[in-house]
mmCIF file of all heavy atoms in Angstrom:
data_model
loop_
_atom_site.group_PDB
_atom_site.id
_atom_site.type_symbol
_atom_site.label_atom_id
_atom_site.label_comp_id
_atom_site.label_asym_id
_atom_site.label_seq_id
_atom_site.Cartn_x
_atom_site.Cartn_y
_atom_site.Cartn_z
ATOM 1 N N THR D 34 -15.997 65.752 -44.107
ATOM 2 C CA THR D 34 -16.440 66.080 -42.753
ATOM 3 C C THR D 34 -15.260 66.596 -41.943
ATOM 4 O O THR D 34 -14.107 66.226 -42.186
ATOM 5 C CB THR D 34 -17.054 64.862 -42.035
ATOM 6 O OG1 THR D 34 -16.076 63.811 -41.970
ATOM 7 C CG2 THR D 34 -18.298 64.358 -42.751
ATOM 8 N N ALA D 35 -15.590 67.450 -40.951
ATOM 9 C CA ALA D 35 -14.587 67.966 -40.022
ATOM 10 C C ALA D 35 -15.122 67.836 -38.606
ATOM 11 O O ALA D 35 -16.332 67.716 -38.389
ATOM 12 C CB ALA D 35 -14.267 69.423 -40.345
ATOM 13 N N ALA D 36 -14.227 67.880 -37.643
ATOM 14 C CA ALA D 36 -14.634 67.743 -36.240
ATOM 15 C C ALA D 36 -15.390 68.964 -35.752
ATOM 16 O O ALA D 36 -16.200 68.870 -34.827
ATOM 17 C CB ALA D 36 -13.402 67.510 -35.371
ATOM 18 N N SER D 37 -15.152 70.114 -36.379
ATOM 19 C CA SER D 37 -15.787 71.354 -35.960
ATOM 20 C C SER D 37 -16.484 72.017 -37.136
ATOM 21 O O SER D 37 -15.963 72.032 -38.258
ATOM 22 C CB SER D 37 -14.734 72.323 -35.398
ATOM 23 O OG SER D 37 -15.257 73.620 -35.253
ATOM 24 N N ALA D 38 -17.659 72.599 -36.878
ATOM 25 C CA ALA D 38 -18.388 73.307 -37.924
ATOM 26 C C ALA D 38 -17.658 74.565 -38.374
ATOM 27 O O ALA D 38 -17.931 75.100 -39.448
ATOM 28 C CB ALA D 38 -19.783 73.666 -37.433
ATOM 29 N N ALA D 39 -16.720 75.035 -37.565
ATOM 30 C CA ALA D 39 -15.959 76.228 -37.919
ATOM 31 C C ALA D 39 -14.736 75.915 -38.776
ATOM 32 O O ALA D 39 -14.053 76.825 -39.237
ATOM 33 C CB ALA D 39 -15.516 76.953 -36.652
ATOM 34 N N ASP D 40 -14.449 74.629 -38.967
ATOM 35 C CA ASP D 40 -13.247 74.221 -39.700
ATOM 36 C C ASP D 40 -13.567 74.050 -41.177
ATOM 37 O O ASP D 40 -14.305 73.150 -41.560
ATOM 38 C CB ASP D 40 -12.715 72.904 -39.111
ATOM 39 C CG ASP D 40 -11.287 72.625 -39.544
ATOM 40 O OD1 ASP D 40 -10.839 73.242 -40.533
ATOM 41 O OD2 ASP D 40 -10.626 71.793 -38.902
ATOM 42 N N HIS D 41 -12.989 74.918 -42.007
ATOM 43 C CA HIS D 41 -13.224 74.863 -43.452
ATOM 44 C C HIS D 41 -12.061 74.240 -44.216
ATOM 45 O O HIS D 41 -12.170 74.017 -45.419
ATOM 46 C CB HIS D 41 -13.471 76.272 -44.000
ATOM 47 C CG HIS D 41 -14.733 76.897 -43.509
ATOM 48 N ND1 HIS D 41 -15.021 78.230 -43.682
ATOM 49 C CD2 HIS D 41 -15.797 76.360 -42.837
ATOM 50 C CE1 HIS D 41 -16.201 78.506 -43.150
ATOM 51 N NE2 HIS D 41 -16.685 77.392 -42.631
ATOM 52 N N THR D 42 -10.942 73.994 -43.553
ATOM 53 C CA THR D 42 -9.772 73.470 -44.253
ATOM 54 C C THR D 42 -9.217 72.188 -43.644
ATOM 55 O O THR D 42 -8.608 71.387 -44.351
ATOM 56 C CB THR D 42 -8.652 74.530 -44.301
ATOM 57 O OG1 THR D 42 -8.319 74.927 -42.964
ATOM 58 C CG2 THR D 42 -9.091 75.750 -45.084
ATOM 59 N N GLY D 43 -9.422 71.967 -42.340
ATOM 60 C CA GLY D 43 -8.846 70.786 -41.693
ATOM 61 C C GLY D 43 -9.808 69.624 -41.656
ATOM 62 O O GLY D 43 -10.006 69.001 -40.616
ATOM 63 N N TYR D 44 -10.399 69.321 -42.796
ATOM 64 C CA TYR D 44 -11.401 68.263 -42.890
ATOM 65 C C TYR D 44 -10.834 67.034 -43.601
ATOM 66 O O TYR D 44 -9.736 67.075 -44.168
ATOM 67 C CB TYR D 44 -12.627 68.775 -43.650
ATOM 68 C CG TYR D 44 -12.297 69.265 -45.045
ATOM 69 C CD1 TYR D 44 -12.243 68.392 -46.130
ATOM 70 C CD2 TYR D 44 -12.013 70.602 -45.273
ATOM 71 C CE1 TYR D 44 -11.911 68.832 -47.396
ATOM 72 C CE2 TYR D 44 -11.682 71.059 -46.535
ATOM 73 C CZ TYR D 44 -11.636 70.169 -47.599
ATOM 74 O OH TYR D 44 -11.290 70.612 -48.850
ATOM 75 N N THR D 45 -11.613 65.973 -43.599
ATOM 76 C CA THR D 45 -11.274 64.777 -44.370
ATOM 77 C C THR D 45 -12.280 64.645 -45.499
ATOM 78 O O THR D 45 -13.498 64.592 -45.263
ATOM 79 C CB THR D 45 -11.316 63.513 -43.495
ATOM 80 O OG1 THR D 45 -10.426 63.690 -42.386
ATOM 81 C CG2 THR D 45 -10.895 62.295 -44.299
ATOM 82 N N ALA D 46 -11.807 64.629 -46.728
ATOM 83 C CA ALA D 46 -12.694 64.548 -47.897
ATOM 84 C C ALA D 46 -13.277 63.150 -48.037
ATOM 85 O O ALA D 46 -12.773 62.178 -47.473
ATOM 86 C CB ALA D 46 -11.932 64.935 -49.156
ATOM 87 N N ALA D 47 -14.371 63.076 -48.804
ATOM 88 C CA ALA D 47 -14.952 61.807 -49.237
ATOM 89 C C ALA D 47 -15.349 60.903 -48.073
ATOM 90 O O ALA D 47 -14.930 59.751 -47.987
ATOM 91 C CB ALA D 47 -13.978 61.083 -50.179
ATOM 92 N N GLN D 48 -16.198 61.415 -47.196
ATOM 93 C CA GLN D 48 -16.610 60.646 -46.021
ATOM 94 C C GLN D 48 -18.074 60.233 -46.035
ATOM 95 O O GLN D 48 -18.437 59.236 -45.412
ATOM 96 C CB GLN D 48 -16.331 61.466 -44.749
ATOM 97 C CG GLN D 48 -14.861 61.742 -44.504
ATOM 98 C CD GLN D 48 -14.060 60.462 -44.363
ATOM 99 O OE1 GLN D 48 -14.259 59.687 -43.428
ATOM 100 N NE2 GLN D 48 -13.147 60.235 -45.300
ATOM 101 N N ILE D 49 -18.949 60.983 -46.681
ATOM 102 C CA ILE D 49 -20.361 60.609 -46.712
ATOM 103 C C ILE D 49 -20.779 60.326 -48.150
ATOM 104 O O ILE D 49 -20.182 60.829 -49.107
ATOM 105 C CB ILE D 49 -21.251 61.691 -46.078
ATOM 106 C CG1 ILE D 49 -21.190 62.995 -46.876
ATOM 107 C CG2 ILE D 49 -20.848 61.934 -44.635
ATOM 108 C CD1 ILE D 49 -22.134 64.057 -46.340
ATOM 109 N N ASN D 50 -21.816 59.507 -48.304
ATOM 110 C CA ASN D 50 -22.181 59.087 -49.656
ATOM 111 C C ASN D 50 -23.120 60.086 -50.322
ATOM 112 O O ASN D 50 -23.671 60.987 -49.690
ATOM 113 C CB ASN D 50 -22.769 57.671 -49.650
ATOM 114 C CG ASN D 50 -24.050 57.573 -48.849
ATOM 115 O OD1 ASN D 50 -24.958 58.395 -48.979
ATOM 116 N ND2 ASN D 50 -24.140 56.543 -48.000
ATOM 117 N N VAL D 51 -23.311 59.900 -51.608
ATOM 118 C CA VAL D 51 -24.075 60.871 -52.387
ATOM 119 C C VAL D 51 -25.545 60.865 -52.002
ATOM 120 O O VAL D 51 -26.216 61.908 -52.083
ATOM 121 C CB VAL D 51 -23.858 60.628 -53.896
ATOM 122 C CG1 VAL D 51 -24.511 59.327 -54.352
ATOM 123 C CG2 VAL D 51 -24.372 61.805 -54.718
ATOM 124 N N ALA D 52 -26.073 59.737 -51.564
ATOM 125 C CA ALA D 52 -27.465 59.702 -51.104
ATOM 126 C C ALA D 52 -27.656 60.602 -49.890
ATOM 127 O O ALA D 52 -28.679 61.297 -49.768
ATOM 128 C CB ALA D 52 -27.874 58.265 -50.785
ATOM 129 N N GLN D 53 -26.677 60.623 -48.994
ATOM 130 C CA GLN D 53 -26.741 61.507 -47.834
ATOM 131 C C GLN D 53 -26.652 62.974 -48.251
ATOM 132 O O GLN D 53 -27.318 63.836 -47.660
ATOM 133 C CB GLN D 53 -25.612 61.170 -46.856
ATOM 134 C CG GLN D 53 -25.741 59.825 -46.171
ATOM 135 C CD GLN D 53 -24.491 59.481 -45.376
ATOM 136 O OE1 GLN D 53 -23.453 59.135 -45.932
ATOM 137 N NE2 GLN D 53 -24.597 59.575 -44.056
ATOM 138 N N LEU D 54 -25.835 63.264 -49.260
ATOM 139 C CA LEU D 54 -25.743 64.632 -49.762
ATOM 140 C C LEU D 54 -27.091 65.107 -50.294
ATOM 141 O O LEU D 54 -27.531 66.229 -50.024
ATOM 142 C CB LEU D 54 -24.693 64.727 -50.865
ATOM 143 C CG LEU D 54 -23.231 64.493 -50.476
ATOM 144 C CD1 LEU D 54 -22.343 64.587 -51.709
ATOM 145 C CD2 LEU D 54 -22.789 65.479 -49.417
ATOM 146 N N LEU D 55 -27.767 64.254 -51.046
ATOM 147 C CA LEU D 55 -29.066 64.615 -51.613
ATOM 148 C C LEU D 55 -30.116 64.792 -50.519
ATOM 149 O O LEU D 55 -30.960 65.696 -50.591
ATOM 150 C CB LEU D 55 -29.513 63.546 -52.612
ATOM 151 C CG LEU D 55 -28.681 63.462 -53.896
ATOM 152 C CD1 LEU D 55 -29.030 62.199 -54.668
ATOM 153 C CD2 LEU D 55 -28.903 64.688 -54.764
ATOM 154 N N ALA D 56 -30.053 63.948 -49.516
ATOM 155 C CA ALA D 56 -31.030 64.022 -48.420
ATOM 156 C C ALA D 56 -30.915 65.330 -47.652
ATOM 157 O O ALA D 56 -31.872 65.759 -46.995
ATOM 158 C CB ALA D 56 -30.852 62.835 -47.477
ATOM 159 N N ALA D 57 -29.756 65.984 -47.718
ATOM 160 C CA ALA D 57 -29.536 67.243 -47.003
ATOM 161 C C ALA D 57 -30.039 68.452 -47.779
ATOM 162 O O ALA D 57 -29.881 69.589 -47.319
ATOM 163 C CB ALA D 57 -28.050 67.405 -46.700
ATOM 164 N N VAL D 58 -30.633 68.231 -48.957
ATOM 165 C CA VAL D 58 -31.143 69.328 -49.792
ATOM 166 C C VAL D 58 -32.657 69.189 -49.890
ATOM 167 O O VAL D 58 -33.165 68.453 -50.755
ATOM 168 C CB VAL D 58 -30.501 69.307 -51.197
ATOM 169 C CG1 VAL D 58 -30.897 70.563 -51.980
ATOM 170 C CG2 VAL D 58 -28.984 69.210 -51.102
ATOM 171 N N PRO D 59 -33.424 69.860 -49.043
ATOM 172 C CA PRO D 59 -34.882 69.668 -49.009
ATOM 173 C C PRO D 59 -35.568 69.956 -50.339
ATOM 174 O O PRO D 59 -36.576 69.305 -50.668
ATOM 175 C CB PRO D 59 -35.336 70.660 -47.931
ATOM 176 C CG PRO D 59 -34.140 70.888 -47.076
ATOM 177 C CD PRO D 59 -32.963 70.786 -47.993
ATOM 178 N N THR D 60 -35.046 70.885 -51.130
ATOM 179 C CA THR D 60 -35.702 71.238 -52.388
ATOM 180 C C THR D 60 -35.648 70.117 -53.414
ATOM 181 O O THR D 60 -36.377 70.144 -54.415
ATOM 182 C CB THR D 60 -35.057 72.498 -52.992
ATOM 183 O OG1 THR D 60 -33.648 72.281 -53.166
ATOM 184 C CG2 THR D 60 -35.273 73.700 -52.088
ATOM 185 N N LEU D 61 -34.782 69.122 -53.186
ATOM 186 C CA LEU D 61 -34.683 68.000 -54.117
ATOM 187 C C LEU D 61 -35.619 66.853 -53.742
ATOM 188 O O LEU D 61 -35.735 65.877 -54.493
ATOM 189 C CB LEU D 61 -33.241 67.482 -54.178
ATOM 190 C CG LEU D 61 -32.195 68.472 -54.706
ATOM 191 C CD1 LEU D 61 -30.814 67.834 -54.702
ATOM 192 C CD2 LEU D 61 -32.557 68.942 -56.113
ATOM 193 N N SER D 62 -36.276 66.965 -52.610
ATOM 194 C CA SER D 62 -37.188 65.906 -52.168
ATOM 195 C C SER D 62 -38.320 65.732 -53.177
ATOM 196 O O SER D 62 -38.938 66.704 -53.619
ATOM 197 C CB SER D 62 -37.769 66.253 -50.792
ATOM 198 O OG SER D 62 -38.695 65.280 -50.378
ATOM 199 N N GLY D 63 -38.573 64.494 -53.551
ATOM 200 C CA GLY D 63 -39.651 64.191 -54.486
ATOM 201 C C GLY D 63 -39.269 64.247 -55.940
ATOM 202 O O GLY D 63 -40.057 63.841 -56.808
ATOM 203 N N GLN D 64 -38.076 64.750 -56.252
ATOM 204 C CA GLN D 64 -37.646 64.773 -57.646
ATOM 205 C C GLN D 64 -37.162 63.383 -58.070
ATOM 206 O O GLN D 64 -36.631 62.624 -57.246
ATOM 207 C CB GLN D 64 -36.540 65.799 -57.848
ATOM 208 C CG GLN D 64 -37.006 67.243 -57.653
ATOM 209 C CD GLN D 64 -36.062 68.238 -58.302
ATOM 210 O OE1 GLN D 64 -35.502 67.986 -59.370
ATOM 211 N NE2 GLN D 64 -35.882 69.383 -57.662
ATOM 212 N N PRO D 65 -37.341 63.033 -59.334
ATOM 213 C CA PRO D 65 -36.924 61.702 -59.800
ATOM 214 C C PRO D 65 -35.410 61.604 -59.953
ATOM 215 O O PRO D 65 -34.858 61.877 -61.018
ATOM 216 C CB PRO D 65 -37.639 61.558 -61.151
ATOM 217 C CG PRO D 65 -37.817 62.961 -61.625
ATOM 218 C CD PRO D 65 -37.994 63.816 -60.402
ATOM 219 N N LEU D 66 -34.756 61.232 -58.877
ATOM 220 C CA LEU D 66 -33.294 61.132 -58.864
ATOM 221 C C LEU D 66 -32.876 59.680 -58.706
ATOM 222 O O LEU D 66 -33.455 58.941 -57.905
ATOM 223 C CB LEU D 66 -32.713 61.954 -57.711
ATOM 224 C CG LEU D 66 -33.094 63.434 -57.653
ATOM 225 C CD1 LEU D 66 -32.504 64.072 -56.417
ATOM 226 C CD2 LEU D 66 -32.632 64.162 -58.911
ATOM 227 N N GLU D 67 -31.870 59.297 -59.461
ATOM 228 C CA GLU D 67 -31.291 57.960 -59.359
ATOM 229 C C GLU D 67 -29.849 58.109 -58.906
ATOM 230 O O GLU D 67 -29.095 58.901 -59.479
ATOM 231 C CB GLU D 67 -31.362 57.262 -60.711
ATOM 232 C CG GLU D 67 -30.801 55.856 -60.742
ATOM 233 C CD GLU D 67 -30.908 55.239 -62.127
ATOM 234 O OE1 GLU D 67 -32.015 55.251 -62.703
ATOM 235 O OE2 GLU D 67 -29.870 54.773 -62.640
ATOM 236 N N VAL D 68 -29.458 57.361 -57.902
ATOM 237 C CA VAL D 68 -28.161 57.576 -57.248
ATOM 238 C C VAL D 68 -27.195 56.438 -57.536
ATOM 239 O O VAL D 68 -27.568 55.259 -57.482
ATOM 240 C CB VAL D 68 -28.357 57.735 -55.723
ATOM 241 C CG1 VAL D 68 -27.024 57.891 -55.014
ATOM 242 C CG2 VAL D 68 -29.262 58.921 -55.428
ATOM 243 N N LEU D 69 -25.949 56.816 -57.827
ATOM 244 C CA LEU D 69 -24.874 55.838 -58.017
ATOM 245 C C LEU D 69 -23.629 56.347 -57.319
ATOM 246 O O LEU D 69 -23.118 57.429 -57.635
ATOM 247 C CB LEU D 69 -24.584 55.635 -59.510
ATOM 248 C CG LEU D 69 -23.331 54.826 -59.865
ATOM 249 C CD1 LEU D 69 -23.445 53.391 -59.359
ATOM 250 C CD2 LEU D 69 -23.065 54.849 -61.358
#
Side-chain angles (χ1 to χ4, degrees):
T34 59
S37 167
D40 196 342
H41 294 168
T42 57
Y44 58 86
T45 303
Q48 296 300 296
I49 64 176
N50 62 47
V51 69
Q53 292 172 286
L54 294 178
L55 292 168
V58 188
T60 56
L61 297 180
S62 177
Q64 293 200 37
L66 304 177
E67 180 180 308
V68 177
L69 170 63

